[in-house]
Amino acid sequence: MTIQFSTKIFPQADLQSAKALNSSLKSLLAHTSDCLVLAYSKADFDSFSGAKATKNKSGFLAELDRLLSGSVSHANLLGDLDDKQSSVCLLRAEKPWATNGVKAKRVLLLGLGDLHLASERSLTSFSKVVRAGLKALSGGSIENALWFVPSFAQKSELIAEEVRLTIQYGGDQAYRFGVRQPAMKFKVKDKADTFKHLVFAGNNACAKELKLAVEQGLAMVEGMYLAKDLGNLPPNICTPTYLAKTAQGLSKKVGLKVEVLGRKQIEALGMGSFLSVAQGSETPPQFIVMRHQGGKTTDAPIVLVGKGITFDTGGISLKPGEAMDEMKYDMCGAASVIGTLYAAGLMKLNQNVIGVIPTCENMPSGQATRPGDIVKSMSGQTIEILNTDAEGRLILCDALTYVERFKPKAVIDIATLTGACVIALGHVHSGLFSEDEGLVNALTKAGKTSLDTVWRLPLDAAYHEQLKSNFADVANIGGRPAGSVTAACFLSRFTEKYKWAHLDIAGTAWKSGAAKGSTGRPVPLLVNFLLEQK
C-alpha cells in the first residue's frame, strides 16, 4: 500500500445530539492528529452564520467555534466558510486551542450542501465532497488525518458504500507506479504522496459497519493496485508467463488455488481458436485458473474470465504504429480478474469465485494466423478469421467453453475488446452486454455504488447476421457497423449453457496523454458486485 487506512472508535461521539455535542467534539479534538476532518451541511452553516451574536449561535459549528476559540467565526468572516457543496475550509491550530485540550493540528471542514437531505443524497455528489477533502489533505505537510464518518453519513445504511468509495478514491489518488515499481523509473522517480494514513473514526452505533467497510475497501484498493501495476508494466516484463507467476504468487498470500496450463495442455483441450492467436509469437501462451473457495463446496461459483493479450500488434492485420505502445494494456481484463480474486482472498469473501485467464501475445511472423484461415474452437464451432486484429474474442471463446465444467452461477467476461465501444461510450462507461436481466441489474447497481459505471448495449439476434461466413460456422468480425455489438454477439455463441455478461472495457481500462496509465477499472465494480451476491 502507498497509503494506510484504519479505524478508531469514539464510543459515544454523536454530533447530531445536542446533549452529546460538546463531549463528542472534545473527544475528537483531543485525539492527536495532523488533521481532523468533519463535514457540515447547509443547515449547519445557516444556523451558525445566521445568528448575529456569538452567544446566540447554536449547533455543531457554533460549538466547534467555541472549542477552537473563534477560528470558525474568523474563517466565516473572511469568506473561507460557505454553504456550497464540496467547499473546503482548513483551520490551522492557534495557541488558544491548547487551553481547550485540542491536540489536532488542523481541522478540515467540508461542505455537504444539502446532501444531508434524503432527496439530495447521491454517491456522485458525495464523491465530489470526498475528492475535495482528499485533495486538501494531499501533497502538503499533512501526513495523517482523522475522518469522522458519521458527520458524512448520517444514516448507518450509507456508511459501507461511502467508506468504500472514500478508500477507493484515496487509494487511487495515492497510487504512484514509480514508487511501487522503482526499477521501472531510471531517471525521475515518482515521489510518494506526503499524506500516508487516513483513520476512519466512528462511534458505537456504526462500529461494526465501519470496520467491515474499511476491511473491504482495503482489499478492493489492493486489488486495484495490482491491476494497475500489471497494466502499467512494459510488455517485455508483463508477459503471459509473468501473469501466471503473479497469479501463483497469490496462492501463498491469500490462499488462492492456482493452476496454469501450458501449450500442450491447451492443445489437448482442443482450444484451436486460442492457439491461433498465440502461434505468431515465440512467447508461450498460458491458461490460468484461479480459485477462491469461500463458500460451501456445493455452491455454484461466479466465474470471471479476463482477456490477457499482453501485447497486441494486430498480427498480420497489423495496427498503425501510432500509440501502438498502448497495446500493452490489452491485458487489462486479465489484470482486473487477478486483482479481483486477490481482493476476494484478502477480504475472505464467503463465496466461491473462479478466475479464468487465457493469455498470449498477438504477433506477426511466418507462423502467424492469416486472414482467411479457418480454425476449430473448443466448442467444435469453426471460425473464419477475417481479421487477425479481432483476436480477443478468439481467445475468450475457448475460455468461455472451458468454464462450462464449473457449472457456474454466472459468468462475466472482461475485455478491452473493441475500439467501437470507445466510439460509442467514450471513457466514461464500460459497455455491458447480457440478456440476463438479473445480471444486468446487479452489475449496473455495482457500477453506481463504485462509480465504476456501465452502460447496457444491445444483443439483438439480428446482429448475428453480420457474422455469417460462407466457409465456416461463424466469422470473427461483422464489419464496421455496431462493431462492439457484433463482437459480443460472437462471444454469446459460446455461452448458451449459463448466465453470462460481457464487459467491454476498451474505453475505461486506461488513460492516454499526460495522465497515461492503467485505471484499475473495473476492479471496484467487480468487488462491489461480489459483495452484493447472496
Side-chain angles (χ1 to χ4, degrees):
M1 288 289 290
T2 52
I3 184 172
Q4 183 180 353
F5 300 98
S6 62
T7 59
K8 183 172 180 59
I9 303 302
F10 296 81
Q12 306 305 319
D14 183 0
L15 302 187
Q16 304 306 311
S17 168
K19 291 182 179 180
L21 182 56
N22 179 269
S23 60
S24 298
L25 282 172
K26 281 185 175 179
S27 63
L28 293 169
L29 291 165
H31 180 77
T32 302
S33 69
D34 283 348
C35 189
L36 170 63
V37 184
L38 300 170
Y40 66 94
S41 67
K42 183 177 184 298
D44 289 327
F45 176 82
D46 289 342
S47 65
F48 175 74
S49 186
K52 294 181 180 180
T54 303
K55 63 180 181 180
N56 294 327
K57 292 182 179 180
S58 61
F60 153 57
L61 289 176
E63 192 59 43
L64 180 64
D65 188 45
R66 284 188 277 272
L67 292 172
L68 298 184
S69 306
S71 292
V72 182
S73 291
H74 186 58
N76 187 35
L77 184 65
L78 293 175
D80 293 341
L81 188 73
D82 61 46
D83 61 356
K84 295 183 179 64
Q85 189 182 101
S86 305
S87 62
V88 173
C89 179
L90 183 62
L91 307 175
R92 291 176 172 82
E94 299 177 12
K95 287 184 179 180
W97 288 21
T99 61
N100 291 325
V102 177
K103 294 183 180 179
K105 296 177 182 178
R106 302 168 186 82
V107 174
L108 178 63
L109 296 173
L110 298 177
L112 293 174
D114 286 325
L115 273 179
H116 67 294
L117 301 176
S119 60
E120 299 294 326
R121 200 81 193 184
S122 77
L123 281 173
T124 301
S125 295
F126 173 78
S127 71
K128 294 176 182 177
V129 176
V130 167
R131 286 181 183 273
L134 292 170
K135 184 178 180 181
L137 295 172
S138 176
S141 55
I142 300 174
E143 293 188 3
N144 62 79
L146 186 71
W147 185 287
F148 189 57
V149 172
S151 69
F152 291 84
Q154 295 175 12
K155 292 184 179 180
S156 59
E157 62 265 25
L158 299 172
I159 284 177
E161 292 180 354
E162 293 186 353
V163 167
R164 287 200 302 266
L165 192 63
T166 303
I167 292 175
Q168 178 184 328
Y169 282 151
D172 191 52
Q173 177 177 279
Y175 177 84
R176 302 286 190 278
F177 177 71
V179 172
R180 292 177 60 83
Q181 303 287 340
M184 296 296 103
K185 300 278 282 184
F186 295 106
K187 293 182 179 179
V188 181
K189 287 184 170 61
D190 286 328
K191 292 183 179 179
D193 195 333
T194 51
F195 182 59
K196 299 175 181 177
H197 189 187
L198 185 58
V199 181
F200 290 93
N203 50 31
N204 281 345
C206 68
K208 184 177 180 181
E209 294 90 340
L210 178 59
K211 289 179 180 178
L212 180 59
V214 171
E215 289 173 4
Q216 293 168 343
L218 274 167
M220 179 176 63
V221 167
E222 285 287 5
M224 191 170 67
Y225 278 177
L226 179 55
K228 283 189 172 193
D229 283 349
L230 291 172
N232 289 330
L233 283 168
N236 60 321
I237 291 178
C238 190
T239 62
T241 302
Y242 186 93
L243 285 182
K245 288 181 178 179
T246 298
Q248 289 170 327
L250 297 182
S251 64
K252 298 177 182 178
K253 285 186 176 182
V254 291
L256 300 178
K257 294 182 179 180
V258 180
E259 181 182 12
V260 179
L261 308 182
R263 186 185 294 274
K264 289 185 178 180
Q265 293 161 299
I266 297 169
E267 288 174 349
L269 287 168
M271 293 185 176
S273 185
F274 175 21
L275 289 171
S276 73
V277 179
Q279 70 187 44
S281 175
E282 294 183 8
T283 302
Q286 307 276 263
F287 193 85
I288 306 165
V289 181
M290 307 169 69
R291 292 180 174 88
H292 168 74
Q293 192 75 28
K296 298 176 183 177
T297 54
T298 55
D299 291 345
I302 292 173
V303 180
L304 306 176
V305 180
K307 174 187 171 183
I309 301 293
T310 59
F311 194 78
D312 181 20
T313 66
I316 296 298
S317 305
L318 193 67
K319 291 179 179 292
E322 184 180 357
M324 192 193 282
D325 64 288
E326 293 189 2
M327 288 302 98
K328 70 177 185 176
Y329 294 116
D330 212 19
M331 41 62 68
C332 283
S336 71
V337 170
I338 294 173
T340 301
L341 266 290
Y342 183 34
L346 284 171
M347 68 176 73
K348 297 180 173 59
L349 190 70
N350 59 351
Q351 297 172 37
N352 297 333
V353 186
I354 298 176
V356 174
I357 298 166
T359 176
C360 64
E361 294 178 334
N362 185 23
M363 301 289 284
S365 74
Q367 286 75 46
T369 296
R370 297 154 292 236
D373 283 0
I374 293 176
V375 298
K376 190 174 184 179
S377 68
M378 185 181 180
S379 70
Q381 296 179 70
T382 56
I383 304 167
E384 183 182 12
I385 300 174
L386 299 179
N387 189 319
T388 63
D389 194 24
E391 84 299 329
R393 65 201 74 182
L394 296 176
I395 72 172
L396 287 173
C397 70
D398 280 343
L400 291 169
T401 300
Y402 179 87
V403 304
E404 291 175 6
R405 66 190 58 202
F406 300 126
K407 297 179 180 178
K409 179 180 178 181
V411 177
I412 304 166
D413 78 71
I414 306 99
T416 50
L417 204 63
T418 65
C421 197
V422 184
I423 300 302
L425 299 177
H427 305 286
V428 178
H429 304 294
S430 297
L432 168 61
F433 300 81
S434 180
E435 293 183 330
D436 186 275
E437 295 301 322
L439 265 180
V440 169
N441 292 337
L443 286 166
T444 301
K445 180 183 177 183
K448 290 178 179 177
T449 301
S450 60
L451 298 186
D452 184 0
T453 52
V454 297
W455 192 267
R456 189 182 190 180
L457 292 165
L459 269 176
D460 299 39
Y463 289 107
H464 284 268
E465 293 295 315
Q466 294 175 225
L467 294 170
K468 284 187 174 180
S469 166
N470 290 340
F471 310 107
D473 292 322
V474 65
N476 79 321
I477 60 170
R480 289 177 65 83
S484 59
V485 177
T486 54
C489 287
F490 177 93
L491 294 177
S492 72
R493 297 172 63 98
F494 303 86
T495 65
E496 295 176 352
K497 295 184 179 179
Y498 48 73
K499 295 178 180 179
W500 163 78
H502 161 59
L503 294 176
D504 192 329
I505 61 169
T508 57
W510 79 93
K511 294 179 180 179
S512 302
K516 183 176 179 179
S518 171
T519 63
R521 293 178 67 181
V523 172
L525 161 68
L526 294 171
V527 170
N528 276 275
F529 168 78
L530 292 175
L531 287 172
E532 290 295 321
Q533 298 305 297
K534 306 298 181 186

